[in-house]
């Protein structure tokens, strides 16, 4: 039977707008490129946290536990005051890139506890101190620390000692697509009574202050005995926010306090910060007439020590004349939706998964769903408003994103982290689609469609990277994500041919862009710049090289080999419905082999990427005189060639004999060039053929390094740089200067790329998942006959599938309680490890300490770290026999169907599939 949430997903496909409202507010709109109208491009300084409470945003809104409609026109979020803070708590506080000793960083504790794909139930938790929030202390101490010191966190201030804080729990439950109940429950974790002001706040995004004749929406006090806010918008129509009987309605305008921000005459007596100023100091800054564009339902709570108190509001189309008792049945509705969330997640979790791992998987998926954001950016208009449009007078040059004026983004997009990275990142988003497909494959496909749509993809075919520089280059992984979704749906007996056909067409443009722009010699050796790996190189790979010349990148070339394989597999899928894709199949077969031949050409070449002595791949520095030298940094750059691997099922060769014949003729004609890779003509398990950049000998040699615990294999995954470089740093001298790479397992001591990420030692989930897929792919070809020592030097021999299981175990153990009851992700932070109100709340960090698994970087980057959910689900159902016998991607195997006709659990589905 379908669960209640699965039924809602099916209704969504049929047009019922269950996703019309969701967690689409940002958690930080200030300090973004969109809001930057400076001349020098210093977005952090142009619009600060201090200004945010008083200054209207141009392109979006932010808030605590915020929700909005899918175009972010009407917003609902929470504000709080503990009677000690100097400002109303309306948004999360954090440090700018210049203030933090390791770059920007949020300095609050909040958790995405639960969510459903239709957002019919959502739960969010915030730790609100009862003492004055230490804004200045956090800035001063972190600013004074060096990059070699730990960050100064909120927990380090002692503000949570003796439980002197509130757990503020926010729940949303939909009675219907446009009828949303919200319950705010405040738990006092101290032993003393404490007072807190709770202000559910409703407001319109400011669309009327930027020129033109956009009509102004209005909020008004409805004529009723109970407190009700009427919201009327020219596009949305009318909504009502029903508040508790004891709530005091406060109104102001979502407009800039010009006197405070610019020392200019006030445009309104009731500006954006009017509610806060009125509450904290009694200022006459709320409209006594009960109207505006921002309003709050203010309730003061006296919460007993160890007790709790709740506040309800309801956002709905129905006004007070239709709802005499708006909160009747509220408790039952919230309990029912919460039970439906339990039912939904139980249905997609294999029974072999432990209770602790179930909780981790569920919170990871909740984080994925909470990380949706309405992203609005009209780059053409932004450039014009800044007088930097390259085609419009007064024409100026030299600003960021000036060649991306075609872009008009106004969509719900999955964010990496809605505070630290409140803008989409193209390659992150491709990985997001993998866990998102576990709960909402339609939304996952929507994200792929966005990235390749006319409003995003550059006319040249380039994929937008991120708003700081849309023209930067990220790895081409969207074909991989598309293929993952195709395999998942194929396992369910579906193939969305229109989606695949359109995605293939646009991905072909992107592939052509790579070939034309990133292979300058035409030799199938690719560049790309930093390619998402920030500081992994000995110098900035996106900047001009200190030696001149160019960098031939092992990772860039491996990505293109993998891109070729992915396009080949997509073309084979489409070929079942359209014979014209035959030429694409052959074209990508040839392209893959040309790239493979270029990475390790015949003969002994000192300037090729493969190093025979070291048994490893390296970047090659091609100097202006044409000579080349290897950059011998042992990093993920040299492991990524393993990921360019796929198997071709024998049934494909039988179904398309002409393709098999022509591909075989090409291989035979060029066999001398392909002697250094896996032989595609030799059948493996079940007659499969292997396309891989490494033959068995190379595979064994690379794995010997990768599985060495003194090198890449850490206790919680594959490190980004070999630990060997701790005592053997790599140095390169150019222009009288030393360029140096040393293993750094934690935060970066380099300011490269802002200094807030580190690829010189820590563990990153996305590459680890690709390596696990590569191990499984090679296992499907070699089977149980190929075993390797894991860990290297241990004497323990494993099949490649067992190595994949071991790597998965180490990755997932990052978040699980160990035998000592502690979670490695929280390191030595006692509060998170020991306090019952903290220890089961999971944060999914950006990356993890290479030696102990402690979380580092952005604390809510559930985005690609949410891949842990896919690992838990997949390895909760995979075994060696089914992996060897499955004709599709085992990692894409669904546990059960989410929409459409009901199917059984994976075991039943797999049995039926394998019987065909």
């Amino acid at each position: 039977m379908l669960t209640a949430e699965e039924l809602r997903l099916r209704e969504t496909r049929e047009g019922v707008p269950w996703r019309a409202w969701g967690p689409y507010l940002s958690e930080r709109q200030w300090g973004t490129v969109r809001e930057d109208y400076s001349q020098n491009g210093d977005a952090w300084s142009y619009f600060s946290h201090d200004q945010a409470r008083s200054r209207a945003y141009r392109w979006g809104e932010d808030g605590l536990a915020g929700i909005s409609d899918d175009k972010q026109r009407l917003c609902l979020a929470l504000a709080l005051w503990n009677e000690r803070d100097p400002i109303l708590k309306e948004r999360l506080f954090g440090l700018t890139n210049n203030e933090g000793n390791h770059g920007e960083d949020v300095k609050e504790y909040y958790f995405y506890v639960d969510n459903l794909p239709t957002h019919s139930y959502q739960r969010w938790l915030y730790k609100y101190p009862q003492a004055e929030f230490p804004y200045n202390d956090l800035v001063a101490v972190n600013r004074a620390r060096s990059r070699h010191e730990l960050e100064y966190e909120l927990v380090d201030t002692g503000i949570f000692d003796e439980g002197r804080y509130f757990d503020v729990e926010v729940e949303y439950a939909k009675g219907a697509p446009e009828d949303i109940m919200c319950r705010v429950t405040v738990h006092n974790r101290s032993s003393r009574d404490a007072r807190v002001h709770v202000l559910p706040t409703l407001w319109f995004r400011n669309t009327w202050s930027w020129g033109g004749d956009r009509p102004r929406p209005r909020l008004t006090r409805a004529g009723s005995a109970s407190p009700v806010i009427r919201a009327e918008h020219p596009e949305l129509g009318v909504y009502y926010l029903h508040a508790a009987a004891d709530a005091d309605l406060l109104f102001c305008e979502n407009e800039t306090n010009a006197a405070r921000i610019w020392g200019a005459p006030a445009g309104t007596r009731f500006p954006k910060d009017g509610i806060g100023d009125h509450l904290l100091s009694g200022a006459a800054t709320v409209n006594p007439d009960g109207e505006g564009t921002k309003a709050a339902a203010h309730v003061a709570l006296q919460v007993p020590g160890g007790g709790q108190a709740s506040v309800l509001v309801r956002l709905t189309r129905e006004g007070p004349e239709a709802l005499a008792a708006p909160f009747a049945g509220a408790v039952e509705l919230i309990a029912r939706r919460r039970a439906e969330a339990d039912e939904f997640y139980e249905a997609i979790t294999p029974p072999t998964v432990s209770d602790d791992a179930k909780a981790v998987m569920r919170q990871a998926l909740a984080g994925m769903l909470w990380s949706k954001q309405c992203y609005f950016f009209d780059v053409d208009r932004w450039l014009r408003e800044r007088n930097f449009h390259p085609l419009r007078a007064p024409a100026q040059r030299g600003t960021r994103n000036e060649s991306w004026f075609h872009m008009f983004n106004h969509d719900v997009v999955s964010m990496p982290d809605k505070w630290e990275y409140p803008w989409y990142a193209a390659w992150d988003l491709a990985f997001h689609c993998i866990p998102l497909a576990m709960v909402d494959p339609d939304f996952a496909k929507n994200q792929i469609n966005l990235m390749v749509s006319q409003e995003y993809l550059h006319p040249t075919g380039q994929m937008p990277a991120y708003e700081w520089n849309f023209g930067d280059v990220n790895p081409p992984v969207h074909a991989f994500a598309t293929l993952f979704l195709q395999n998942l749906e194929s396992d369910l007996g579906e193939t969305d041919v229109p989606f695949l056909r359109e995605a293939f067409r646009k991905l072909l443009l992107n592939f052509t862009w790579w070939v034309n722009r990133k292979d300058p010699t035409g030799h199938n050796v690719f560049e790309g710049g930093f390619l998402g790996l920030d500081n992994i190189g000995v110098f900035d790979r996106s900047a001009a090289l200190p030696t001149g010349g160019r960098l031939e990148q092992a990772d860039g070339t491996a990505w293109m080999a993998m891109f070729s394989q992915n396009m080949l597999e997509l073309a084979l899928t489409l070929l079942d419905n359209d014979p014209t894709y035959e030429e694409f199949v052959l074209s990508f077969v040839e392209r893959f082999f040309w790239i493979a031949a270029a990475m390790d050409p015949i003969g002994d070449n000192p300037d090729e990427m493969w190093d025979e002595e070291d048994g490893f791949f390296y970047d090659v520095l091609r100097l202006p005189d044409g000579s080349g030298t290897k950059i011998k940094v042992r990093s993920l750059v040299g492991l990524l060639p393993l990921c360019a691997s796929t198997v071709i099922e024998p049934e494909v060769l039988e179904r398309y004999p002409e393709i098999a014949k022509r591909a075989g003729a090409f291989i035979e004609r060029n066999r001398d060039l392909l002697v250094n890779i896996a032989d595609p003509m030799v059948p493996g398990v079940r007659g499969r053929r292997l396309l891989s950049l490494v033959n068995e000998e190379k595979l064994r040699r690379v794995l010997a390094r990768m599985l060495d615990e003194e090198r890449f294999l850490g206790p919680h995954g594959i490190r980004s740089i070999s630990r060997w470089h701790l005592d053997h740093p790599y140095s390169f001298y150019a222009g009288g200067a030393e360029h140096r790479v040393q293993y750094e397992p934690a935060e970066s001591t380099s300011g490269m790329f802002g200094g807030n990420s580190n690829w010189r030692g820590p563990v990153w989930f996305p590459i680890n998942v690709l390596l696990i897929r590569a191990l499984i792919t090679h296992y499907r070809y070699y089977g149980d006959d190929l075993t390797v020592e894991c860990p290297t030097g241990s004497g323990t021999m494993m099949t490649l599938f067992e190595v994949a299981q071991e790597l998965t175990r180490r990755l997932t153990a990052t978040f699980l309680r160990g035998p000592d009851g502690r979670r490695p992700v929280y390191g030595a932070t006692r509060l998170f490890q020991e306090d019952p109100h903290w220890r089961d709340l999971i944060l999914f960090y950006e990356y993890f300490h290479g030696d102990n698994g402690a979380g580092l970087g952005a604390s809510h980057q559930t985005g690609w770290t949410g891949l842990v959910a896919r690992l838990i689900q997949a390895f909760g159902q995979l075994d060696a026999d089914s992996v060897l016998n499955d004709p599709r991607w085992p990692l894409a195997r669904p546990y059960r169907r989410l929409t459409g006709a009901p199917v059984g659990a994976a075991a039943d589905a797999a049995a039926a599939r394998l019987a065909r």
Side-chain angles (χ1 to χ4, degrees):
M1 296 294 294
L2 294 180
T3 65
E5 178 65 6
E6 289 170 315
L7 290 171
R8 284 190 288 267
L9 284 169
R10 186 164 66 179
E11 290 176 353
T12 300
R13 278 189 171 183
E14 296 167 355
V16 179
W18 282 107
R19 294 197 200 91
W21 284 80
Y24 306 145
L25 248 62
S26 176
E27 284 162 353
R28 177 177 62 81
Q29 184 68 16
W30 59 273
T32 60
V33 167
R34 282 155 287 158
E35 300 295 338
D36 179 22
Y37 284 74
S38 67
Q39 291 296 305
N40 63 358
D42 185 357
W44 287 109
S45 299
Y46 181 75
F47 203 133
S48 67
H49 174 271
D50 182 61
Q51 293 177 335
R53 68 181 184 272
S54 307
R55 186 174 174 184
Y57 293 126
R58 173 70 177 91
W59 296 102
E61 297 290 340
D62 55 20
L64 301 177
I67 66 171
S68 75
D69 68 279
D70 57 10
K71 295 299 181 184
Q72 207 180 89
R73 292 161 292 198
L74 181 59
C75 310
L76 175 63
L78 180 65
L80 299 164
W81 186 47
N82 59 10
E83 298 191 343
R84 290 174 176 79
D85 282 351
I87 60 174
L88 186 64
K89 175 69 69 174
E90 295 180 279
R91 58 189 48 81
L92 297 165
F93 172 74
L95 306 180
T96 69
N97 185 266
N98 292 327
E99 291 171 337
N101 59 322
H102 296 117
E104 63 266 28
D105 189 40
V106 68
K107 295 300 181 185
E108 309 250 24
Y109 296 112
Y110 56 104
F111 304 87
Y112 305 134
V113 183
D114 214 353
N115 210 321
L116 285 170
T118 64
H119 312 300
S120 296
Y121 181 73
Q122 304 180 87
R123 185 175 166 213
W124 181 93
L125 185 69
Y126 172 59
K127 305 281 186 180
Y128 186 37
Q130 294 172 4
E132 179 179 341
F133 195 90
Y135 293 104
N136 294 332
D137 181 47
L138 287 167
V139 173
V141 174
N142 277 288
R143 182 177 277 160
R145 291 190 176 186
S146 73
R147 292 192 183 277
H148 296 275
E149 296 176 272
L150 294 174
E151 295 177 7
Y152 183 58
E153 304 291 1
L154 183 59
V155 70
D156 298 327
T157 68
I159 203 165
F160 295 108
D161 291 355
E162 300 177 6
R164 296 193 303 267
Y165 68 93
F166 300 107
D167 266 340
V168 182
E169 180 185 58
V170 180
E171 295 172 281
Y172 292 102
K174 291 183 181 179
E178 297 180 311
D179 187 357
I180 306 168
M181 191 74 69
C182 174
R183 179 172 66 188
V184 181
T185 305
V186 181
H187 305 265
N188 184 354
R189 298 305 183 195
S190 74
S191 59
R192 300 179 180 179
D193 295 358
R195 188 172 169 85
V196 64
H197 297 255
V198 178
L199 297 91
T201 304
L202 188 73
W203 74 100
F204 291 111
R205 176 168 55 85
N206 188 322
T207 57
W208 57 88
S209 295
W210 320 106
D213 55 355
R214 296 289 297 271
R216 180 192 294 254
R218 296 305 289 167
L219 301 174
T220 56
R221 182 183 289 113
S224 64
S226 57
V228 180
I229 300 168
R230 184 180 189 272
E232 184 171 3
H233 189 279
E235 297 171 2
L236 284 175
V238 176
Y239 281 87
Y240 296 89
L241 185 72
H242 298 262
D246 58 343
D248 183 19
L249 301 184
L250 305 173
F251 291 80
C252 67
E253 301 292 344
N254 185 18
E255 295 183 5
T256 298
N257 183 339
R260 177 175 184 266
I261 298 299
W262 294 303
T268 173
R269 294 162 47 207
F270 316 114
K272 181 179 178 180
D273 53 11
I275 292 172
D277 287 350
H278 174 77
L279 180 64
L280 272 67
S281 62
T285 49
V286 294
N287 192 336
D289 296 331
E291 62 175 339
T293 47
K294 177 181 177 182
H298 170 224
V299 177
L301 298 177
Q302 184 74 15
V303 189
Q308 65 184 55
S310 296
V311 173
L312 286 167
V313 294
R314 180 176 177 180
L315 182 66
T316 179
R317 291 284 192 183
E318 296 185 84
E321 67 285 350
L323 283 178
F327 304 114
V331 173
E332 293 77 13
L333 172 66
I334 294 169
R336 184 167 66 252
R337 291 292 183 259
R338 190 165 179 171
E340 289 169 357
D342 294 341
E343 173 194 46
F344 176 75
Y345 283 106
E346 189 66 26
I348 65 169
T349 306
T352 57
V353 175
S354 70
D355 288 343
D356 194 23
K358 284 181 183 179
V360 170
M361 175 179 141
R362 182 167 174 172
Q363 288 185 60
L365 292 169
M368 297 297 309
L369 295 169
W370 269 104
S371 295
K372 295 181 183 180
Q373 178 183 314
C374 176
Y375 184 87
F376 182 32
F377 197 10
D378 180 346
V379 180
D380 178 82
R381 184 163 184 177
W382 179 75
L383 289 167
R384 281 188 282 167
E385 289 173 346
R386 299 175 69 242
N387 292 320
F388 268 103
H389 200 293
L391 301 181
R392 290 185 165 92
Q396 298 186 65
R397 297 279 182 169
T399 193
R400 63 165 52 97
N401 298 327
E402 64 183 3
S403 66
W404 290 80
F405 51 82
H406 75 286
M407 289 185 70
F408 181 87
N409 300 170
H410 197 180
D411 301 283
V412 174
V413 186
S414 177
M415 298 289 127
D417 178 318
K418 291 205 296 187
W419 193 94
E420 188 143 347
Y421 306 118
W423 29 261
Y424 63 83
W427 83 302
D428 298 54
L429 187 58
F431 288 106
H432 296 185
C433 292
I434 293 173
L436 283 170
M438 295 167 60
V439 292
D440 195 349
D442 288 348
F443 181 74
K445 287 194 293 186
N446 167 267
Q447 298 298 282
I448 296 294
N449 282 333
L450 286 179
M451 288 300 107
V452 297
S453 69
Q454 184 177 351
E455 290 78 14
Y456 289 73
L457 196 69
H458 195 274
T460 62
Q462 184 179 8
M463 197 80 70
Y466 43 82
E467 70 174 27
W468 287 94
N469 183 2
F470 285 126
D472 218 331
V473 184
N474 277 181
V477 288
H478 294 78
F480 169 79
T482 304
L483 195 56
F484 180 93
L485 297 176
Q486 181 270 321
N487 274 270
L488 180 142
E489 291 200 326
S490 293
D491 259 347
L492 298 174
E494 303 172 1
T495 300
D496 188 345
V497 174
F499 163 70
L500 291 179
R501 185 183 295 122
E502 181 62 14
F504 184 90
R505 186 174 70 86
K506 293 301 184 67
L507 289 167
L508 190 60
L509 287 175
N510 185 235
F511 188 93
T512 304
W513 178 87
W514 270 90
V515 170
N516 290 339
R517 297 294 185 93
K518 296 303 172 183
D519 178 16
T521 64
H523 294 163
N524 294 291
V525 174
F526 290 84
E527 302 174 6
F530 86 114
L531 285 178
L533 305 186
D534 292 13
N535 64 339
I536 202 166
V538 69
F539 24 66
D540 184 347
R541 298 195 302 169
S542 287
L545 299 177
T547 59
R550 65 183 187 278
L551 199 63
E552 297 174 350
Q553 297 180 217
D555 56 336
T557 306
W559 286 124
M560 284 303 291
M562 180 174 148
F563 197 176
S564 301
Q565 293 172 340
N566 298 154
M567 294 297 281
L568 163 62
E569 291 193 67
L570 288 171
L572 282 170
T573 300
L574 290 164
L575 185 59
D576 289 339
N577 297 276
D578 186 344
T580 62
Y581 282 87
E582 179 175 325
E583 292 302 319
F584 288 116
V585 171
L586 293 165
S587 173
F588 285 111
V589 166
E590 293 183 8
R591 176 64 70 173
F592 166 73
F593 285 118
W594 292 136
I595 295 172
M599 288 198 76
D600 186 9
I602 56 175
D604 185 14
N605 305 285
D607 58 352
E608 66 185 53
M609 293 177 179
W610 172 254
D611 188 286
E612 183 63 28
E613 181 180 356
D614 290 357
F616 207 70
F617 290 94
Y618 298 114
D619 287 346
V620 173
L621 177 62
R622 186 68 60 190
L623 297 170
D625 63 4
S627 63
T629 184
K630 295 184 181 78
I631 304 296
K632 290 196 171 186
V633 178
R634 295 172 187 171
S635 71
L636 289 178
V637 166
L639 297 181
L640 277 166
L642 298 183
C643 301
S645 56
T646 194
V647 292
I648 304 297
E649 296 291 332
E651 293 82 1
V652 173
L653 303 179
E654 294 168 6
R655 192 159 64 247
Y656 301 111
E658 183 60 26
I659 291 179
K661 177 182 176 182
R662 292 174 63 185
F666 169 82
I667 292 167
E668 288 301 324
R669 189 167 60 251
N670 297 283
R671 182 165 287 281
D672 61 321
L673 300 178
L674 306 177
V675 294
N676 294 325
I677 67 170
D679 191 334
M681 302 303 289
V682 176
V685 171
R686 293 188 76 244
R688 294 186 178 108
R689 306 301 175 89
L690 177 65
L691 303 186
S692 174
L693 292 177
V694 295
N695 56 25
E696 182 178 341
E697 179 189 358
K698 283 182 181 173
L699 178 64
R700 289 181 178 279
R701 295 189 68 188
V702 175
L703 288 180
R705 292 192 180 278
M706 188 179 97
L707 301 178
D708 188 335
E709 293 183 310
E710 295 302 314
R711 287 173 168 77
F712 282 101
L713 182 59
H716 296 284
I718 301 299
R719 302 172 173 116
S720 46
I721 278 185
S722 172
R723 199 174 188 278
W724 185 80
H725 284 305
L726 176 64
D727 299 320
H728 306 85
Y730 177 81
S731 294
F732 185 91
Y733 296 88
E738 180 188 18
H739 302 267
R740 179 183 174 99
V741 169
Q742 188 170 21
Y743 174 73
E744 298 180 86
E747 300 281 12
S748 172
T749 60
S750 163
M752 195 183 297
F753 285 88
N756 64 328
S757 71
N758 185 21
W759 290 83
R760 293 185 174 182
V763 172
W764 293 75
F765 263 72
I767 306 300
N768 272 262
V769 169
L770 288 179
L771 289 169
I772 288 170
R773 175 191 167 270
L775 289 165
I776 291 175
T777 299
H778 285 93
Y779 176 69
R780 294 175 69 214
Y781 177 79
Y782 290 108
D784 295 332
D785 292 340
L786 192 156
T787 60
V788 296
E789 199 175 25
C790 181
T792 300
S794 67
T796 300
M797 303 303 292
M798 294 186 184
T799 67
L800 296 185
F801 178 67
E802 289 169 336
V803 175
Q805 287 179 308
E806 173 62 15
L807 183 50
T808 297
R809 184 194 65 77
R810 293 180 183 229
L811 288 164
T812 55
T814 305
F815 304 101
L816 301 176
R817 286 194 196 175
D820 59 357
R822 302 170 73 84
R823 301 183 191 275
V825 64
Y826 288 133
T829 307
R830 291 186 59 187
L831 192 64
F832 276 97
Q833 297 287 16
E834 300 172 7
D835 192 298
H837 299 301
W838 293 71
R839 66 186 181 192
D840 292 326
L841 298 169
I842 310 299
L843 291 176
F844 297 89
Y845 286 82
E846 185 178 6
Y847 52 97
F848 301 87
H849 195 292
D851 294 338
N852 61 37
L856 301 165
S859 57
H860 290 73
Q861 189 142 341
T862 318
W864 61 20
T865 302
L867 287 162
V868 69
R870 175 74 267 195
L871 293 178
I872 291 171
Q873 187 192 57
F875 282 86
Q877 59 175 322
L878 292 179
D879 59 67
D881 288 342
S882 66
V883 167
L884 285 181
N885 291 317
D886 197 331
R888 299 189 181 91
W889 286 15
L891 270 186
R893 186 188 302 169
Y895 177 65
R896 65 167 292 175
R897 196 181 186 98
L898 296 181
T899 56
V903 298
D908 298 328
R913 183 175 62 250
L914 297 175
R916 291 198 293 267

